[in-house]
Amino acid sequence: LPVTFAWTPSRSCALARCTDAKPGVRMPRGRSRALSTQPRAWTLAVSQAEVATAVGYVIGAGSTAVYTPMIFRCVTRRSAEGLSPSTWQLKFASYVCADFYNLSRHYPISQYAETITLAVQAFAMTLIVAFFGKKPDVLAGTGFILVVGAAAYASPSGADVVLPALQAISSVAGASAVVPQIVLNVRRGGSGEFSPVTASLLTSGNLVRAWTTTQLADGDPILLAGCGLGFFVNAVLLGQIVFYGVGRDGMSLIDLFASDFSGGSNYADTK
C-alpha cells in the first residue's frame, strides 16, 4: 500500500536555502526560482502485513473492553441473572486453546493478542457467575481446562497433533458457547444481563480478525473457520438483544447501548 507525500517549497523557503550558502559563494541565477517550483516527494511503502500487525495490536487493545461492560454491570448490580455458566466455561476454554495453539505455531503476538485479554476477562466472568449464582462447581471445570491446555502444549506431539485438534474443537466450542445464551434468551423472553456493547464488539472483532489472519497467519484455515463461526453466532445474539430492547421494549439504540452503564434493569424479561 504505497503512500506518497508531495511538498513544494515556498519562495521564502527557497530564498532561505539560498542564503544558507557559504559567504563569498554566488548562487547560480534562477536557482531560487528552481527551488520554489521543484516539488519534493517522499514515498512511504506500507505492506499489508504491517497494516495487519498494527490492526492486530489495536484489536488486542480494544479487546480489553469487550467484557468489561458486562463485568462492571454484574458487579455493580451484584447479579449474574440470565447468564449461562456453560457459556463462560466454553468461552474460556476456546480462548485458552487458541492461545496455546498460536504459541505452538509461533505466530506473532499481534495475531492473537485479543485472545489473551479475552481469556482473562472470560475467567473473571466465570468467577462472577460462580459467585453470584452460587455455583462453585463452575470453578472446578475452569481449572480442568487450564490443566488440559498446558498439558497439550507441553506434550511432544502437541504442536503437530494435539493442539491443532484442540483448536479445531475449541473454535466450534467458542462459537457454540453463545448458543446456550441464545437458547436461554428465547426461554426467558429477554437477553438478561448480556451486554449489547460486548455483543457488538465480538461481532465486529471476528470480522476484522478474519482479515488479519489472512495476513499474519497465512490464512490458517482453523483460525478462519473460528472467526466465521464466531461472527455468525454473535451476530445472532446481537440481533436478539436489539429485538428485545428496541423491538419489544421500545428502547432507542442509544439507550440500549448506554444501559450497560446505568444502574437499573434494562429489559422487561419474562420470567
Side-chain angles (χ1 to χ4, degrees), residues 16-32:
R17 289 284 300 275
C18 291
T19 57
D20 286 341
K22 294 181 180 180
V25 177
R26 291 179 58 87
M27 295 295 291
R29 291 184 179 181
R31 178 63 181 273
S32 63

Side-chain angles (χ1 to χ4, degrees), residues 23-269:
V25 177
R26 291 179 58 87
M27 295 295 291
R29 291 184 179 181
R31 178 63 181 273
S32 63
R33 181 177 301 176
L35 284 173
S36 64
T37 58
Q38 182 180 0
R40 309 287 182 182
W42 295 270
T43 300
L44 177 63
V46 182
S47 68
Q48 289 191 6
E50 290 171 328
V51 174
T53 299
V55 172
Y57 282 121
V58 171
I59 294 175
S63 68
T64 58
V66 170
Y67 295 128
T68 301
M70 191 176 298
I71 293 171
F72 176 81
R73 178 187 186 120
C74 292
V75 171
T76 54
R77 298 178 185 183
R78 302 188 63 78
S79 169
E81 185 179 359
L83 297 181
S84 170
S86 58
T87 288
W88 296 104
Q89 284 184 313
L90 287 171
K91 279 182 175 293
F92 180 68
S94 174
Y95 296 139
V96 168
C97 288
D99 289 335
F100 282 126
Y101 176 76
N102 281 285
L103 277 171
S104 69
R105 294 287 172 176
H106 305 290
Y107 290 144
I109 195 171
S110 58
Q111 164 60 28
Y112 61 99
E114 80 279 5
T115 59
I116 298 174
T117 63
L118 290 176
V120 174
Q121 293 172 74
F123 179 71
M125 280 303 304
T126 303
L127 293 178
I128 288 172
V129 171
F131 179 75
F132 290 119
K134 296 180 173 58
K135 298 177 180 178
D137 56 305
V138 174
L139 299 180
T142 303
F144 177 75
I145 291 168
L146 280 173
V147 171
V148 170
Y153 179 73
S155 67
S157 59
D160 298 325
V161 179
V162 180
L163 283 174
L166 283 177
Q167 176 58 28
I169 295 172
S170 69
S171 294
V172 177
S176 302
V178 185
V179 174
Q181 186 66 54
I182 293 174
V183 173
L184 184 61
N185 290 347
V186 173
R187 290 176 178 173
R188 288 173 53 87
S191 54
E193 299 294 349
F194 207 99
S195 162
V197 174
T198 295
S200 300
L201 290 173
L202 288 171
T203 302
S204 58
N206 275 286
L207 192 61
V208 177
R209 178 51 76 190
W211 175 73
T212 61
T213 298
T214 63
Q215 302 299 318
L216 301 177
D218 298 323
D220 190 305
I222 298 177
L223 296 178
L224 283 176
C227 291
L229 287 172
F231 171 78
F232 175 75
V233 295
N234 283 290
V236 172
L237 179 59
L238 178 60
Q240 275 189 323
I241 295 173
V242 173
F243 171 76
Y244 289 125
V246 177
R248 188 195 65 183
D249 297 337
M251 302 175 68
S252 68
L253 279 175
I254 295 177
D255 290 339
L256 178 66
F257 283 88
S259 65
D260 279 346
F261 311 101
S262 64
S265 178
N266 306 320
Y267 311 106
D269 294 346

